[in-house]
Amino acid sequence: MKIVLLCSLVAATAAWPYFGGFQRDEPDGVPTAQKQHDINFLLHKLYEPLHEANLKALEDSFDPLAHTANMPDGGVAVNKLMQEVKTQHLEERHHWFSVFNATQREEALLLVKVLLQCQDWPTAIGNAVYFRKMMNEETYVYALYTAIKHSPLTKHVVLPPLYEIMPHFFTSSEVIQQAYRAKLIEKPGRFNMNFTGTQNNPEHKIAYFGEDIGLSTHYINWHIEYPFWWNETFGYQIERRGENYFWVHHQLVNRFEAERISNHLQKIEKLHWERNLHEGFDPHTSYKNGNPFPFRHDDIHIEDVDKVAEVRDMIVMENRIRDAIAHGYVIDKEGNKVDINNEHGIDILGDIIESCVYNPYNEYYGSLHNMGHMMLGHQGDPHAKYYDTPSVLEHYETALRDPAFYKLHKYIDDLFRKHKDHLKPYSQEDLLFPGVAVNMIDIDGPLETYFEDYEYSLMNAMDDKEEMIWEDNMEISAIIPRLRHKDFSFKVNIMNNNDENKLSTIRIFAWPHRDVNGVIMPFNEGRWHAIELDKFQKELIPGENTITRKSSESSVTVPDVPSLKSLHEQTEAAIAGSSELNLDEFVSATGLPNRLLIPKGNEAGVEFKLVVAVTDGVADSVNDEINLTTKFHHYGHHGVYLDKKPHGYPLDRRVPDERLFHEIPNFGETIVKVSNHDEHVYHH
């Protein structure tokens, strides 16, 4: 029975002729549409039994232990996970999961290992189906998403938006209740959802940013692409992982600062472990099992957290990192000094601060970032008197909602800056691109943002009868305002005075020209607050080159992921042969949503210094094979980053004298203004 079912699945998927383009790209010959179909139904109604007939049949017949012959580890991972199932050691279903919980994380990694060991789709989907009913739902989602992101079998599969798979994490309990009432009386409903807090709370002014569900999707996808627990046993080494950790959080902090200026708020106060935490937070959300996400009062004194850490532990970790920065080296487990006063030092420092597997001495330097999230997350109840559920800070998909996230990362960002400021500043020779000059920088189109209503499905928030089919689900959804900008283009006029074509890398940044008090930011302060807007390569012909780059083409952004309903409809149409499945632009979701490329601005307009650096593309590239059609992929892709230069180059090091940049012809700057004329819409 098992062999017949698996063979029929392989035969059916291999026989469809209308997937030719995608079939060529798949290493095992199974069309992408079939894989997308299977993933869609695995995640549809996550907390219920499977609703798809073929997958249900596979669930009943598949035996993981009978399909280990082709696994590189000989089935070691499968046997370990099956032993956990047999001894009932797995986390119970309908319970919470947090990747910061070591025991729960190890369970998830067992499934990740099993899925990454699978060398063909029938084995992979068989294991995915089997363990779906055995494992905690949230553990399963984390493992499945991670495996899909990293497996060569699923390189064209799109991860559905997590806010539709687990709506409880993103949707207020009040709206969930409204949705349940609508479901009970069988009446479709569309429910407006406001951001947390009220206008009495100054932080409410920028809740549109931290609570943007597309931004949260970016953040969870980045951590899935670059997990702190990843090592080579999962398939390959991730290059520059620590530096990427620095850069993604540095950019989030800078962007949050720019949003604060747009809303007339003072800059972020960085965290101090021995001072009060001023900003409280009430997420107004609950887990699927009904347990509320914990809240935190204003002006609390940071306390030791039982079974997590003491405040003095955090200070000791911080001081050891500060000592390493001051000395210019870290100590590895063998007692060797590892130099960090170079362009690779930021990578080592990032590994240490987050404490990923690449940390050279984890036992000594600790885990400042991960422990920081847990310490702050438990401050509402540090001694677990009233609840033990993780806070929003202990889930990547919700962490950005809490103002404490930005205080923690401002504090960490300050450590990175101290390291960067220890490095020797760039010289004119380091920065010069001989024969190339930026003549003009302009913006084509308005730099204007606005709020739009965005609707997403709450279908997965509610339970259905087992026999319910996808199309029978009534439309019940939440509506929330989100920020978007009008389309615009960068226009850069570049002169190539050389007698031959020159490959260039064009790097575009912006930072607030003035702080919230109206004081102009000095160049050295501004460059540290720079927001990366784009980076791409261009062949420069001799003479004048006018380059137009649309905002939608930015390599630091990605389109919003289609809804689960849209993915389902496109996939089923492709399987039926009525259209081709083309979802490649949504595969990598690690960049910012492309509607969030620029900060909000305000009615009067917020000035930004726009800078363009044109650097030597040949010197920048990681290999000799130059491909101008290759997108940079914001933080790299599958462990490889295409730009040899440090993130933020050439603005990543201190600038003792800004005249240096003004004297370099391949560097240009101008002042632009970002406006927003419908702030009232934000408050519904």
Side-chain angles (χ1 to χ4, degrees), residues 426-491:
Y426 293 119
S427 66
Q428 187 176 60
E429 184 180 355
D430 293 329
L431 301 175
L432 197 63
F433 188 6
V436 174
V438 176
N439 291 337
M440 179 272 295
I441 306 170
D442 197 10
I443 298 292
D444 187 5
L447 288 178
E448 184 177 334
T449 67
Y450 60 95
F451 287 98
E452 65 175 8
D453 279 344
Y454 179 69
E455 184 173 354
Y456 65 96
S457 173
L458 299 179
M459 177 173 60
N460 274 359
M462 294 158 291
D463 300 326
D464 273 324
K465 298 176 182 178
E466 186 172 346
E467 65 271 15
M468 181 74 71
I469 64 172
W470 195 308
E471 286 72 19
D472 286 344
N473 284 282
M474 69 179 69
E475 295 291 336
I476 298 178
S477 57
I479 300 173
I480 192 166
R482 66 177 188 178
L483 189 66
R484 176 178 287 279
H485 62 77
K486 294 182 178 179
D487 291 336
F488 66 91
S489 298
F490 300 106
K491 292 188 71 174

Side-chain angles (χ1 to χ4, degrees), residues 234-509:
F234 290 95
Y236 51 84
Q237 180 172 353
I238 297 177
E239 297 177 358
R240 297 170 65 173
R241 199 220 162 280
E243 184 187 8
N244 283 322
Y245 161 78
F246 150 68
W247 187 246
V248 69
H249 293 92
H250 178 65
Q251 286 296 289
L252 282 170
V253 167
N254 285 356
R255 182 57 183 271
F256 194 65
E257 293 276 32
E259 299 298 337
R260 298 184 73 84
I261 291 173
S262 295
N263 291 280
H264 313 288
L265 295 173
Q266 294 294 328
K267 66 181 181 179
I268 309 168
E269 291 184 11
K270 69 180 181 181
L271 179 74
H272 291 272
W273 292 112
E274 295 178 301
R275 297 183 190 174
N276 280 9
L277 184 58
H278 297 299
E279 293 83 10
F281 184 65
D282 186 352
H284 284 267
T285 50
S286 300
Y287 288 92
K288 182 68 164 63
N289 63 11
N291 289 334
F293 277 84
F295 72 92
R296 183 183 65 250
H297 289 291
D298 289 342
D299 294 308
I300 62 168
H301 182 70
I302 299 177
E303 297 186 39
D304 301 340
V305 175
D306 294 353
K307 300 180 181 179
V308 176
E310 298 179 1
V311 170
R312 65 180 180 181
D313 296 331
M314 308 306 294
I315 295 172
V316 167
M317 283 187 270
E318 174 191 337
N319 288 337
R320 287 174 176 173
I321 292 168
R322 288 184 181 275
D323 286 346
I325 293 169
H327 290 123
Y329 62 83
V330 299
I331 303 295
D332 67 15
K333 292 180 181 179
E334 287 72 40
N336 301 311
K337 295 179 180 180
V338 181
D339 183 22
I340 60 171
N341 268 352
N342 52 57
E343 63 180 21
H344 302 296
I346 190 74
D347 193 41
I348 298 170
L349 196 61
D351 289 340
I352 286 173
I353 289 176
E354 185 180 24
S355 196
C356 74
V357 172
Y358 301 149
N359 184 338
Y361 197 171
N362 182 46
E363 294 79 5
Y364 181 70
Y365 292 108
S367 178
L368 188 64
H369 169 266
N370 292 353
M371 296 296 285
H373 272 258
M374 297 177 72
M375 283 286 288
L376 296 180
H378 282 78
Q379 287 306 308
D381 185 20
H383 307 299
K385 292 181 178 179
Y386 308 107
Y387 49 77
D388 65 351
T389 51
S391 74
V392 296
L393 286 171
E394 293 162 88
H395 301 282
Y396 293 131
E397 53 268 53
T398 57
L400 302 184
R401 297 163 58 91
D402 191 336
F405 172 91
Y406 301 95
K407 296 177 74 70
L408 172 65
H409 282 283
K410 179 75 170 180
Y411 152 79
I412 290 174
D413 199 56
D414 182 63
L415 295 175
F416 283 122
R417 183 170 187 177
K418 288 185 182 304
H419 161 70
K420 284 284 191 175
D421 284 352
H422 269 76
L423 302 181
K424 182 181 177 182
Y426 293 119
S427 66
Q428 187 176 60
E429 184 180 355
D430 293 329
L431 301 175
L432 197 63
F433 188 6
V436 174
V438 176
N439 291 337
M440 179 272 295
I441 306 170
D442 197 10
I443 298 292
D444 187 5
L447 288 178
E448 184 177 334
T449 67
Y450 60 95
F451 287 98
E452 65 175 8
D453 279 344
Y454 179 69
E455 184 173 354
Y456 65 96
S457 173
L458 299 179
M459 177 173 60
N460 274 359
M462 294 158 291
D463 300 326
D464 273 324
K465 298 176 182 178
E466 186 172 346
E467 65 271 15
M468 181 74 71
I469 64 172
W470 195 308
E471 286 72 19
D472 286 344
N473 284 282
M474 69 179 69
E475 295 291 336
I476 298 178
S477 57
I479 300 173
I480 192 166
R482 66 177 188 178
L483 189 66
R484 176 178 287 279
H485 62 77
K486 294 182 178 179
D487 291 336
F488 66 91
S489 298
F490 300 106
K491 292 188 71 174
V492 186
N493 184 276
I494 303 172
M495 178 63 71
N496 176 12
N497 293 310
N498 298 284
D499 295 331
E500 58 185 3
N501 289 3
K502 287 289 182 178
L503 180 69
S504 68
T505 306
I506 299 174
R507 307 166 187 271
I508 306 177
F509 302 89

Side-chain angles (χ1 to χ4, degrees), residues 45-48 93-97 136-138 164-171 173 176-177 180 285-293 389 395 458-464:
K45 295 294 184 180
L46 171 70
Y47 297 90
E48 301 174 20
R93 291 173 65 81
H94 308 300
H95 192 267
W96 54 263
F97 161 82
N136 171 273
E137 297 89 345
E138 294 168 18
E164 290 193 332
I165 303 305
M166 300 192 301
H168 289 77
F169 278 65
F170 306 88
T171 311
S173 299
I176 294 290
Q177 280 295 107
Y180 266 109
T285 50
S286 300
Y287 288 92
K288 182 68 164 63
N289 63 11
N291 289 334
F293 277 84
T389 51
H395 301 282
L458 299 179
M459 177 173 60
N460 274 359
M462 294 158 291
D463 300 326
D464 273 324

Side-chain angles (χ1 to χ4, degrees), residues 76-126:
V76 172
V78 168
N79 277 278
K80 284 184 179 179
L81 186 51
M82 288 297 288
Q83 183 65 23
E84 294 292 299
V85 172
K86 181 179 179 180
T87 57
Q88 299 183 349
H89 284 167
L90 294 177
E91 184 64 74
E92 62 183 343
R93 291 173 65 81
H94 308 300
H95 192 267
W96 54 263
F97 161 82
S98 171
V99 72
F100 292 104
N101 181 297
T103 301
Q104 293 178 330
R105 181 173 67 247
E106 287 307 311
E107 288 183 13
L109 298 198
L110 280 176
L111 181 55
V112 173
K113 288 178 180 178
V114 168
L115 295 176
L116 291 182
Q117 286 291 315
C118 298
Q119 303 300 300
D120 57 76
W121 187 246
T123 305
I125 192 61

Side-chain angles (χ1 to χ4, degrees), residues 419-645:
H419 161 70
K420 284 284 191 175
D421 284 352
H422 269 76
L423 302 181
K424 182 181 177 182
Y426 293 119
S427 66
Q428 187 176 60
E429 184 180 355
D430 293 329
L431 301 175
L432 197 63
F433 188 6
V436 174
V438 176
N439 291 337
M440 179 272 295
I441 306 170
D442 197 10
I443 298 292
D444 187 5
L447 288 178
E448 184 177 334
T449 67
Y450 60 95
F451 287 98
E452 65 175 8
D453 279 344
Y454 179 69
E455 184 173 354
Y456 65 96
S457 173
L458 299 179
M459 177 173 60
N460 274 359
M462 294 158 291
D463 300 326
D464 273 324
K465 298 176 182 178
E466 186 172 346
E467 65 271 15
M468 181 74 71
I469 64 172
W470 195 308
E471 286 72 19
D472 286 344
N473 284 282
M474 69 179 69
E475 295 291 336
I476 298 178
S477 57
I479 300 173
I480 192 166
R482 66 177 188 178
L483 189 66
R484 176 178 287 279
H485 62 77
K486 294 182 178 179
D487 291 336
F488 66 91
S489 298
F490 300 106
K491 292 188 71 174
V492 186
N493 184 276
I494 303 172
M495 178 63 71
N496 176 12
N497 293 310
N498 298 284
D499 295 331
E500 58 185 3
N501 289 3
K502 287 289 182 178
L503 180 69
S504 68
T505 306
I506 299 174
R507 307 166 187 271
I508 306 177
F509 302 89
W511 65 77
H513 184 49
R514 302 173 187 272
D515 65 19
V516 70
N517 299 314
V519 178
I520 294 176
M521 280 196 192
F523 188 93
N524 189 51
E525 190 65 24
R527 61 94 199 168
W528 185 253
H529 288 83
I531 300 166
E532 186 179 30
L533 298 179
D534 204 355
K535 175 164 55 179
F536 58 98
Q537 291 195 319
K538 199 75 175 178
E539 192 86 32
L540 302 177
I541 63 172
E544 190 173 293
N545 296 259
T546 299
I547 296 168
T548 300
R549 177 80 165 181
K550 295 178 181 178
S551 56
S552 59
E553 297 173 326
S554 171
S555 65
V556 307
T557 66
V558 294
D560 279 301
V561 179
S563 67
L564 183 57
K565 179 182 178 181
S566 175
L567 286 174
H568 171 68
E569 290 174 347
Q570 292 182 64
T571 302
E572 299 312 300
I575 287 177
S578 58
S579 67
E580 185 176 290
L581 188 65
N582 187 5
L583 299 172
D584 277 10
E585 65 177 319
F586 306 111
V587 168
S588 175
T590 52
L592 291 170
N594 55 20
R595 57 186 171 78
L596 285 179
L597 181 60
I598 58 176
K600 180 176 80 68
N602 55 36
E603 184 72 33
V606 177
E607 290 182 324
F608 285 83
K609 177 166 283 191
L610 181 68
V611 299
V612 176
V614 182
T615 60
D616 187 338
V618 174
D620 297 340
S621 300
V622 295
N623 55 48
D624 296 330
E625 297 181 13
I626 305 301
N627 185 356
L628 294 175
T629 65
T630 300
K631 195 170 182 180
F632 264 104
H633 290 293
H634 192 15
Y635 300 106
H637 188 58
H638 280 203
V640 178
Y641 192 74
L642 299 177
D643 185 10
K644 190 185 298 181
K645 291 292 192 290

